[in-house]
Amino acid sequence: MSEMSERLLRGTSKPQGAPALLVLEDGAVFQGSACAASGEVFGEICFNTSLEGYLEVITDPSYAGQIITMTYPQIGNYGVNLEDAQSDSPALRGLVVRDLCTTPSNWRSTQSLPDYLREHNVVAVEGVDTRALVRHVRDNGAQRAVLSTVDTDAKSLLAKVRASESIVGANLAATVSCKSAYEFDSLPASHAFAVSSPAERRYKVVAYDCGAKRSILENLLRAGCSVVAVPWDTPAEEVLAMEPDGVFLSNGPGDPEAVEGTYLQVEKLLGKVPVFGICLGHQMICKAAGAQIEKLKFGHRGGNHPVMNLLTGRVEITAQNHGFGLLFPSLGELVPELSGGFKGHESDLRFWTNARIAPVVQNEKFGRIRLTHVNLNDGTAEGIALLDIPAFSVQYHPEASPGPTDAHYLFTAFTRLMDGRDDYLDIDIAADRLAGWTFGEQAATVAGASDREQDSMTEGGR
């Protein structure tokens, strides 16, 4: 090989990392190379199907206790901009990818993803056959795993992982919640090129921070809310003393059964103030109503999950990140006259999507509760609305960080709920999905100019 060829090879190739192993508790072993911090970490193995938004995924506090596998093969190619981060530091246990890009190219990038991961001491491995890994998790279910760059003995790691703690029963929300109340009043300057100025602030919202993503709180600001975030276990009496127009329950990690300090307070808040919950917040409302929560086989994580809005029949492509879900029948018995005459529950909620009915149950604590959204992939519950008190919730993430903007309307719905409107969910999601984005305004301007030009040509032809 010539000297020039060797220089080109050095300049376009990255050095091979130290050997690393991922071992699952069922004995499955996956080999790779270290590509960030070195170490040994334990967590629940999961996978995310998003094609972009890796920084938002990595910094989402809902991933506390988990080792994330990205299904898209190359991660890090557009680098890192810290204003896209969802928290000050990653809460995940480890990262598994096929290929980690070391030379990003993007005008907003300030550093490479490998450098960011090393800076925050995140153990990561590349070179793994992520297709095989994802198929294994999909077929065999989420389970404990160990990711190590320091011990490459499979038998040793298998013994360690089988002795490690499960996230089931662990209150991970407490580990990522804020320590004291604070006013959230920050919008990223670098997003101004794509996002319009926020609406005038007309609502005071208290947000339970169970691991809240910054972009969710930002969307509340943009919808016209002033936001005060409080710790996960703040007494309801303290929240009501702040005299909020509404209470928001945030996303968060882990087993909702273990977050008793939140759902017991939510039980006291329901009926006294409008409440909106997202993801773990949705589960907190369900737990407050006495519902049962199930652990999903491998969870929902990614930006391409289809959900039907039973009220409109529209399908939303949603961003999701959860490993637990509501068992809708546990909320109460069906009310036949409000459920198309049907009297019995269905285990697969896609029955209601086919029937085009939003069924209603009678709950012992809070009266009538309607199923509003259903996951079209597996027929699980994705949203509810309480009909006798002002409260609603969804299992997915509507703020699109990362993900599509189909569910943006839910922030508008929350403001309408605080206005006291019964039709707060009756929103044209096709129009609202562009609300707040400058490209939506630009498209409208271009369309308007085109219409005026066409009118002018028509007049001239006359």
Side-chain angles (χ1 to χ4, degrees):
M1 183 181 293
S2 68
E3 181 181 347
M4 179 175 291
S5 298
E6 290 179 353
R7 288 204 307 268
L8 286 172
L9 186 62
R10 287 195 299 269
T12 57
S13 303
K14 59 183 178 183
Q16 182 74 19
L21 278 187
L22 172 70
V23 179
L24 279 53
E25 67 173 291
D26 65 3
V29 178
F30 298 88
Q31 297 179 335
S33 302
C35 56
S38 62
E40 187 171 285
V41 292
F42 299 83
E44 182 180 77
I45 188 70
C46 65
F47 61 87
N48 186 293
T49 58
S50 295
L51 302 184
E52 47 75 40
Y54 49 79
L55 181 64
E56 290 92 332
V57 170
I58 290 167
T59 56
D60 181 350
S62 296
Y63 279 111
Q66 294 179 316
I67 297 172
I68 306 172
T69 303
M70 300 300 294
T71 63
Y72 190 72
Q74 186 177 66
I75 299 298
N77 57 345
Y78 57 84
V80 167
N81 184 302
L82 293 179
E83 289 198 331
D84 296 339
Q86 299 302 301
S87 58
D88 291 335
S89 59
L92 79 167
R93 298 282 174 82
L95 180 67
V96 180
V97 300
R98 179 63 179 174
D99 177 57
L100 191 65
C101 178
T102 58
T103 54
S105 177
N106 185 273
W107 67 276
R108 296 183 66 244
S109 176
T110 57
Q111 66 180 136
S112 72
L113 182 57
D115 287 343
Y116 175 83
L117 295 174
R118 280 189 285 268
E119 184 179 300
H120 291 277
N121 201 34
V122 175
V123 178
V125 58
E126 67 177 339
V128 173
D129 185 346
T130 50
R131 291 179 298 178
L133 173 56
V134 168
R135 283 197 299 268
H136 186 87
V137 174
R138 183 191 63 198
D139 294 341
N140 297 280
Q143 53 190 288
R144 292 172 295 173
V146 56
L147 179 62
S148 181
T149 66
V150 295
D151 182 355
T152 55
D153 182 88
K155 290 184 178 179
S156 168
L157 292 175
L158 181 59
K160 291 178 184 178
V161 72
R162 287 178 174 173
S164 66
E165 294 183 1
S166 169
I167 69 167
V168 176
N171 184 357
L172 294 172
T175 69
V176 291
S177 177
C178 58
K179 303 302 180 185
S180 59
Y182 68 96
E183 182 178 358
F184 184 86
D185 191 18
S186 175
L187 293 174
S190 69
H191 291 185
F193 79 97
V195 184
S196 306
S197 300
E200 179 185 355
R201 296 185 188 178
R202 300 192 297 119
Y203 311 94
K204 180 179 181 181
V205 171
V206 174
Y208 271 83
D209 178 3
C210 296
K213 295 167 69 175
R214 282 178 179 163
S215 56
I216 290 180
L217 301 182
E218 290 166 6
N219 270 264
L220 290 172
L221 290 183
R222 296 188 185 282
C225 304
S226 62
V227 179
V228 175
V230 298
W232 69 280
D233 58 350
T234 301
E237 295 77 11
E238 291 185 17
V239 171
L240 293 173
M242 299 180 190
E243 299 183 345
D245 297 305
V247 171
F248 172 73
L249 309 173
S250 85
N251 64 292
D255 187 351
E257 299 283 354
V259 197
E260 187 177 22
T262 301
Y263 66 74
L264 289 181
Q265 304 310 315
V266 173
E267 186 175 357
K268 300 176 185 177
L269 293 168
L270 289 170
K272 295 184 174 64
V273 63
V275 178
F276 173 35
I278 287 175
C279 200
L280 183 66
H282 161 73
Q283 296 165 3
M284 293 298 95
I285 291 178
C286 297
K287 286 295 299 177
Q292 297 176 20
I293 304 293
E294 66 173 337
K295 191 174 192 314
L296 303 176
K297 183 177 180 180
F298 50 79
H300 301 160
R301 298 177 180 90
N304 53 1
H305 292 255
V307 169
M308 178 176 282
N309 182 330
L310 295 177
L311 303 177
T312 65
R314 299 292 292 269
V315 175
E316 306 163 21
I317 304 302
T318 67
Q320 305 206 7
N321 176 15
H322 61 278
F324 296 81
L326 162 69
L327 286 170
F328 178 68
S330 66
L331 281 172
E333 295 297 321
L334 280 180
V335 180
E337 57 270 27
L338 297 177
S339 306
F342 293 97
K343 299 180 180 179
H345 278 291
E346 299 289 335
S347 58
D348 187 333
L349 299 180
R350 284 173 292 191
F351 171 86
W352 302 110
T353 68
N354 293 327
R356 294 295 191 269
I357 294 171
V360 177
V361 299
Q362 185 67 36
N363 182 258
E364 292 183 358
K365 294 182 178 180
F366 300 113
R368 298 169 301 161
I369 299 179
R370 168 168 281 146
L371 178 68
T372 57
H373 297 79
V374 171
N375 189 297
L376 295 181
N377 282 338
D378 62 5
T380 53
E382 291 280 2
I384 59 171
L386 283 67
L387 302 185
D388 297 318
I389 61 175
F392 75 110
S393 59
V394 292
Q395 182 64 77
Y396 50 95
H397 293 200
E399 88 296 341
S401 293
T405 60
D406 294 23
H408 177 274
Y409 73 97
L410 292 167
F411 293 100
T412 305
F414 185 36
T415 63
R416 290 165 56 138
L417 180 68
M418 289 187 285
D419 285 335
R421 295 178 56 167
D422 293 331
D423 64 342
Y424 64 94
L425 280 173
D426 185 14
I427 296 173
D428 181 357
I429 67 172
D432 191 87
R433 69 187 299 270
L434 294 179
W437 295 89
T438 55
F439 58 73
E441 298 170 4
Q442 292 165 1
T445 300
V446 171
S450 177
D451 289 344
R452 289 192 295 273
E453 181 180 353
Q454 184 64 39
D455 290 343
S456 177
M457 292 174 63
T458 301
E459 291 293 333
R462 291 175 186 165

